[in-house]
Amino acid sequence: MKKLLVCALFLGLALGGTSCGKSKMATINEFVATYFPQEEVLALIKDGLDYDVTLTDYTQIGFDGNLFGRLKWDEVDCTHTNFTSVPDVLVPAEIAAYVGRIHDTQSIVKIARDGRNWDITLSNGIEVEFNKNFHVIDFDD
């Protein structure tokens, strides 16, 4: 009886993992279609719970996964792409205002976020790090 229960548990986990994979692909495809509609996924690499996506124009997008099967983007790198900047809708208003005020001739070509900080790279190579309240905490030129 215990063996049957253990087998059923493993089977349930395996089947559950399969459906999560489809849901994650749907999340990735929706993100690409929304923010990069003229591009397609060229490559996708799964690393544990995370996914690294390369689009046909070589935009790099990182997705952070969690144990509940949800994905959220954590990095968008348009450094080597047709885009002149990261789509505006992905940039918090406070960061956009800072760039417009201090670096008005530059665009954001890379943005990354984690639970606490945001990092951007400008078109001139300057990197700026913000805390969760969008105050500059590091600046690297």
Side-chain angles (χ1 to χ4, degrees), residues 86-101:
V86 170
D88 292 339
V89 70
L90 298 176
V91 179
E94 297 87 347
I95 292 175
Y98 168 84
V99 171
R101 190 173 62 252

Side-chain angles (χ1 to χ4, degrees), residues 50-109:
D50 302 334
Y51 291 80
D52 293 320
V53 177
T54 302
L55 302 183
T56 49
D57 75 338
Y58 302 107
T59 295
Q60 301 283 318
I61 306 168
F63 289 91
D64 182 36
N66 64 30
L67 294 175
F68 301 107
R70 295 186 195 113
L71 285 180
K72 65 176 185 169
W73 72 269
D74 63 358
E75 181 176 53
V76 175
D77 184 352
C78 297
T79 308
H80 305 290
T81 69
N82 299 329
F83 289 90
T84 56
S85 65
V86 170
D88 292 339
V89 70
L90 298 176
V91 179
E94 297 87 347
I95 292 175
Y98 168 84
V99 171
R101 190 173 62 252
I102 307 297
H103 305 282
D104 62 339
T105 61
Q106 302 303 312
S107 59
I108 299 171
V109 295

Side-chain angles (χ1 to χ4, degrees), residues 5-26:
L5 184 60
V6 170
C7 287
L9 178 63
F10 282 121
L11 181 61
L13 289 174
L15 292 175
T18 302
S19 65
C20 286
K22 290 179 183 176
S23 172
K24 290 176 183 174
M25 277 309 301

Side-chain angles (χ1 to χ4, degrees), residues 103-120:
H103 305 282
D104 62 339
T105 61
Q106 302 303 312
S107 59
I108 299 171
V109 295
K110 182 177 179 181
I111 189 165
R113 64 182 183 175
D114 62 22
R116 295 175 296 246
N117 299 327
W118 291 78
D119 297 301
I120 62 168

